[in-house]
């Protein structure tokens, strides 16, 4: 079965500094990979996704992520964070089985804190 | 604007009653809808997958008689929590997509429903 690991529960970054959120996945084939952001009490907003092609994916709000098959990683980056980026970030894997799409498997999330 | 509308956003109910949560796709036909549950400080856990016109597929450990899912049309899926208990209190989120290659298409999430059972 597939799994997603986000090793950092909390990350604190100064405003204007660069950011990298880590994500590792476990799956036998190339998965569909997603990064979502969630503000308190809200649903999820898709930042970006990868399923084939260029391994460096550009997303919204200045985020990008790089798929590295050899490391089973899909880390999220942003060169300069803004206070409005403070939120919970989830990495997710989408897979298919004989019955169709399996639904996303989420990591436990990384809580991003932005300090002035 | 939102393309998946989830209603209500918050609901408080008494133990033993049932609560219905609606998930609507606003400007596309959602052939598949997923229902997730999110515990405090925890990740989202898939509860069930529903395809329009067919029975929902529940994940292991999810009681299908307690969490009734109906996906009767291409724009509406409902989750009914029956005989709710305080341990059912949680944040429930739906997502919707279209087509067999669903991950190739946008997979939109609702804004969630905060259920509190007293």
């Amino acid at each position: 079965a597939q799994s997603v690991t986000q090793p950092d529960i909390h990350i604190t970054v100064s405003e204007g500094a660069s950011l990298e959120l880590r994500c590792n996945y476990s799956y036998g084939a190339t998965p569909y990979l997603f990064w979502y952001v969630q503000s308190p009490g809200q649903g999820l907003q898709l930042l970006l996704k990868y399923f084939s092609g260029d391994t460096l994916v550009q997303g919204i709000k200045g985020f990008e992520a790089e798929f590295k098959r050899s490391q089973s990683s899909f880390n999220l980056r942003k060169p300069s964070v803004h206070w409005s980026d403070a939120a919970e970030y989830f990495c997710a894997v989408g897979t298919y089985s004989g019955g169709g799409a399996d639904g996303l498997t989420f990591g436990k999330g990384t809580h991003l804190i932005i300090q002035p | 604007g939102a393309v998946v509308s989830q209603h209500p956003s918050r609901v408080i109910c008494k133990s033993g009653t049932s609560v219905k949560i609606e998930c609507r796709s606003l400007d596309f036909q959602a052939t598949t809808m997923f229902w997730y549950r999110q515990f405090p400080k925890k990740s989202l856990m898939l509860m069930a997958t529903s395809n329009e016109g067919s029975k929902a597929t529940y994940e292991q450990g999810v009681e299908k008689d307690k969490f009734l899912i109906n996906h009767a049309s291409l724009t509406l899926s409902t989750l009914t929590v029956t005989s709710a208990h305080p341990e059912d209190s949680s944040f429930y989120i739906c997502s919707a997509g279209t087509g067999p290659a669903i991950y190739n298409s946008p997979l939109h999430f609702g804004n969630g429903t905060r259920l509190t059972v007293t």
Side-chain angles (χ1 to χ4, degrees):
Chain A
Q2 63 276 9
S3 66
V4 178
T5 301
Q6 291 180 249
D8 303 306
I9 298 174
H10 299 278
I11 280 189
T12 300
V13 178
S14 297
E15 189 169 14
S18 63
L19 169 72
E20 182 170 38
L21 302 182
R22 295 183 290 166
C23 172
N24 292 94
Y25 69 91
S26 173
Y27 184 57
T30 301
Y32 291 72
L33 295 162
F34 303 80
W35 274 100
Y36 285 90
V37 60
Q38 184 182 34
S39 298
Q42 297 295 310
L44 280 77
Q45 181 182 24
L46 178 67
L47 290 175
L48 46 78
K49 67 179 181 180
Y50 169 83
F51 55 90
S52 68
D54 193 344
T55 56
L56 184 62
V57 181
Q58 301 298 320
I60 63 170
K61 302 185 179 186
F63 286 94
E64 66 177 27
E66 186 171 12
F67 170 60
K68 293 186 177 180
R69 184 190 304 275
S70 61
Q71 298 177 20
S72 296
S73 69
F74 189 55
N75 294 348
L76 182 71
R77 301 193 293 248
K78 186 169 184 177
S80 176
V81 297
H82 187 262
W83 64 267
S84 60
D85 293 324
E88 193 80 20
Y89 290 80
F90 291 97
C91 180
V93 163
T95 59
Y96 289 95
S97 64
D102 296 325
L104 297 181
T105 299
F106 285 86
K108 291 188 182 298
T110 297
H111 185 62
L112 176 62
I113 301 166
I114 307 295
Q115 61 184 18
Chain B
V3 295
V4 173
S5 174
Q6 192 171 336
H7 179 79
S9 58
R10 293 178 179 273
V11 58
I12 300 173
C13 71
K14 292 187 176 181
S15 186
T17 62
S18 296
V19 174
K20 180 183 285 188
I21 301 170
E22 293 186 347
C23 182
R24 293 181 183 274
S25 58
L26 299 181
D27 57 3
F28 67 99
Q29 294 184 327
T31 53
T32 303
M33 287 191 176
F34 302 99
W35 286 95
Y36 296 86
R37 181 173 178 176
Q38 186 176 32
F39 295 94
K41 308 290 187 185
K42 297 289 186 183
S43 182
L44 285 80
M45 303 298 296
L46 179 66
M47 299 175 64
T49 303
S50 73
N51 293 293
E52 185 270 336
S54 60
K55 289 184 178 180
T57 302
Y58 290 81
E59 296 299 300
Q60 191 172 8
V62 177
E63 300 176 59
K64 61 180 182 181
D65 294 330
K66 180 168 189 60
F67 298 100
L68 301 179
I69 291 172
N70 183 283
H71 191 171
S73 78
L74 285 170
T75 59
L76 175 64
S77 176
T78 60
L79 167 66
T80 301
V81 183
T82 63
S83 187
H85 290 282
E87 57 265 31
D88 298 325
S89 299
S90 195
F91 194 60
Y92 294 87
I93 306 178
C94 69
S95 73
T98 192
I102 194 169
Y103 297 130
N104 291 29
S105 66
L107 195 60
H108 300 287
F109 281 78
N111 281 334
T113 297
R114 171 71 61 194
L115 170 63
T116 303
V117 184
T118 60

